Amino acid sequence: MNPSLADLSGRTAVVIGGTSGIGRVLALGLAAAGADVIASSRRVEQVESTACEIESLARRSLRIPCDVCDRGSLESLLARTLESFGKVDILVNCAGKIKRAPTIDFPEESWRDILETNLTGTLRGCQIFGRHMLERGYGRIINVASLNTFVSLAEVAAYAASKAAVGALTRSLAVEWSKRGVLVNAIAPGVFRTALNSELLDNTNRGRELLMRTPMGRFGKEEELVGAAVYLASDTASFTTGQILVVDGGFLASGVNQ
């Protein structure tokens, strides 16, 4: 393999939901691989701090908040990025939310809110940035799916439904857009330790079950997702589209672990 195919130098990437958790790690990983990266989210202070981190890697960035539930803010994100960089080569859709509750009583308002962010928000990003990529004849779109795209975890039905749909959307767009140079794939993270879930993972029966079901015997480190993102964003993946790349320590491969 030509190592230069995985070099993202000269590429411009936008990471929506890219200022905290997995999104931030992916934004910094793409920057480390050579791309200029605009990491956007609703929180202005996080947009600022992540841009500073990207610039500390000697890459260019911008400070543009957005909300995936506001189509106008995504259109502004694209327009302002084009003003400064002239193009967007890579889009990562990472904005998402989850709420755990029994499905029998799950409020419709919460259901709509989760699907609006996780599914329709991803669609908006794909439509707005995808149109620009289709006009150029080149693009790499990476959606963030989940283990819930494939299997059920108790009492997160809205999240699971949204992520299963993200998988279907990814395949549909790949079929529609690949002949025009825009490749659409997804990453499905397994169980990764974050600041928000460390208590659950370390001190609950749910956390212990998740660990038991992971054959590698540990939870993922967020930086272990970077290689998958760089691969899908690069010309190394020039014949890869419509795929959901699972990074889960063997979770989905597992039947009985002991």
Side-chain angles (χ1 to χ4, degrees), residues 46-61:
Q46 290 185 347
V47 171
E48 172 67 32
S49 63
T50 307
C52 289
E53 289 183 277
I54 292 166
E55 289 166 348
S56 74
L57 298 172
R59 308 301 175 208
R60 297 169 63 202
S61 190

Side-chain angles (χ1 to χ4, degrees), residues 170-186:
T170 298
R171 289 186 290 269
S172 294
L173 295 181
V175 169
E176 293 186 35
W177 294 355
S178 295
K179 286 184 180 179
R180 299 174 64 185
V182 179
L183 307 185
V184 186
N185 294 285

Side-chain angles (χ1 to χ4, degrees), residues 8 10-14 35-38 81 85-91:
L8 300 182
R11 302 296 191 192
T12 302
V14 172
D36 295 319
V37 181
I38 297 88
T81 301
F85 293 92
K87 62 187 176 70
V88 175
D89 303 290
I90 301 157
L91 172 68

Side-chain angles (χ1 to χ4, degrees), residues 100-101 152-157 206:
R100 182 181 178 188
S152 177
L153 306 183
E155 297 185 338
V156 287
R206 192 180 182 91

Side-chain angles (χ1 to χ4, degrees), residues 66-252:
C66 78
D67 181 348
V68 296
C69 296
D70 178 356
R71 191 176 189 91
S73 76
L74 295 175
E75 291 171 340
S76 177
L77 174 61
L78 173 62
R80 292 178 61 185
T81 301
L82 294 182
E83 286 174 7
S84 295
F85 293 92
K87 62 187 176 70
V88 175
D89 303 290
I90 301 157
L91 172 68
V92 181
N93 285 304
C94 199
K97 59 176 55 177
I98 188 170
K99 179 178 180 178
R100 182 181 178 188
T103 307
I104 191 68
D105 296 318
F106 201 81
E108 285 192 19
E109 180 181 358
S110 298
W111 176 277
R112 287 191 296 268
D113 183 43
I114 289 172
L115 266 69
E116 172 72 8
T117 298
N118 297 0
L119 175 58
T120 310
T122 296
L123 172 66
R124 290 189 186 101
C126 289
Q127 286 180 325
I128 291 165
F129 286 83
R131 185 179 300 278
H132 161 70
M133 292 174 173
L134 290 167
E135 289 170 353
R136 291 185 62 225
Y138 181 92
R140 300 288 186 267
I141 296 176
I142 304 169
N143 297 324
V144 176
S146 167
L147 291 179
N148 280 134
T149 303
F150 305 97
V151 296
S152 177
L153 306 183
E155 297 185 338
V156 287
Y159 181 80
S162 72
K163 290 299 185 178
V166 165
L169 174 63
T170 298
R171 289 186 290 269
S172 294
L173 295 181
V175 169
E176 293 186 35
W177 294 355
S178 295
K179 286 184 180 179
R180 299 174 64 185
V182 179
L183 307 185
V184 186
N185 294 285
I187 296 172
V191 185
F192 283 76
R193 184 184 299 281
T194 70
L196 295 178
N197 70 10
S198 58
E199 176 66 22
L200 180 148
L201 295 184
D202 293 338
N203 297 305
T204 69
N205 288 334
R206 192 180 182 91
R208 284 185 282 274
E209 182 177 355
L210 289 169
L211 183 61
M212 182 270 290
R213 288 177 177 269
T214 304
M216 287 186 69
R218 65 175 177 84
F219 300 122
K221 303 172 185 176
E222 289 174 317
E223 58 269 23
E224 291 179 301
L225 290 166
V226 170
V230 171
Y231 165 66
L232 293 175
S234 74
D235 287 337
T236 304
S238 59
F239 200 57
T240 302
T241 196
Q243 299 304 305
I244 303 173
L245 181 51
V246 180
V247 185
D248 70 348
F251 189 108
L252 291 182

